Amino acid sequence: MTDPARRRAAHRQAGRPLRRFHDAPPAHQAQDAAVNVVASTAAGLDEHIAEAGDRPDHPELRASLFEGYGRTQTEAEERALAAFAAADAAGALAYGARHGDTFVTTRGRATVERLTREGRR
């Protein structure tokens, strides 16, 4: 999926079930539907994972995701996302080193570098 318009459309589409999931009360059917969409999307993720590594270099994809979601993140959500990204980077670095997986190690390093560039220490 290298066409920029298709990538933005896919991110916009992904934002819609995320919004329904977050807005639904606990154990609501919208959460079940969102979980099913996410699961089916994740099933095809391996095919696109290498390409997705360039997402931080494409702010239009982030904008498309939140266009589908219906709003931007709050400051607290932004801080939480940075914390989750840092935790994921630490896990990727540990896993990559332990298993000799240079792709995962490189992804972890790239996340640390991005967070540092953004001033998130």
Side-chain angles (χ1 to χ4, degrees):
M1 186 185 313
T2 57
D3 177 43
R6 287 185 64 207
R7 290 180 76 185
R8 286 190 304 274
H11 280 73
R12 194 170 26 259
Q13 184 177 5
R16 291 182 189 122
L18 286 173
R19 179 63 183 260
R20 287 180 34 211
F21 177 81
H22 288 138
D23 286 347
H28 188 273
Q29 69 183 21
Q31 288 183 333
D32 291 337
V35 167
N36 290 335
V37 169
V38 170
S40 79
T41 301
L45 184 59
D46 287 341
E47 177 183 336
H48 302 287
I49 192 97
E51 185 181 323
D54 69 349
R55 191 175 324 171
D57 298 329
H58 294 276
E60 74 279 6
L61 298 180
R62 179 183 177 92
S64 293
L65 176 75
F66 285 108
E67 182 182 322
Y69 188 73
R71 68 170 178 83
T72 58
Q73 292 178 308
T74 66
E75 187 176 321
E77 290 168 335
E78 285 284 342
R79 285 193 308 270
L81 182 59
F84 289 136
D88 179 64
L93 291 170
Y95 177 91
R98 187 171 39 246
H99 296 282
D101 190 328
T102 57
F103 176 78
V104 172
T105 301
T106 300
R107 183 179 60 81
R109 285 185 180 142
T111 299
V112 170
E113 289 171 8
R114 179 180 55 81
L115 291 170
T116 301
R117 262 193 327 271
E118 293 173 356
R120 308 214 184 241
R121 299 175 190 235

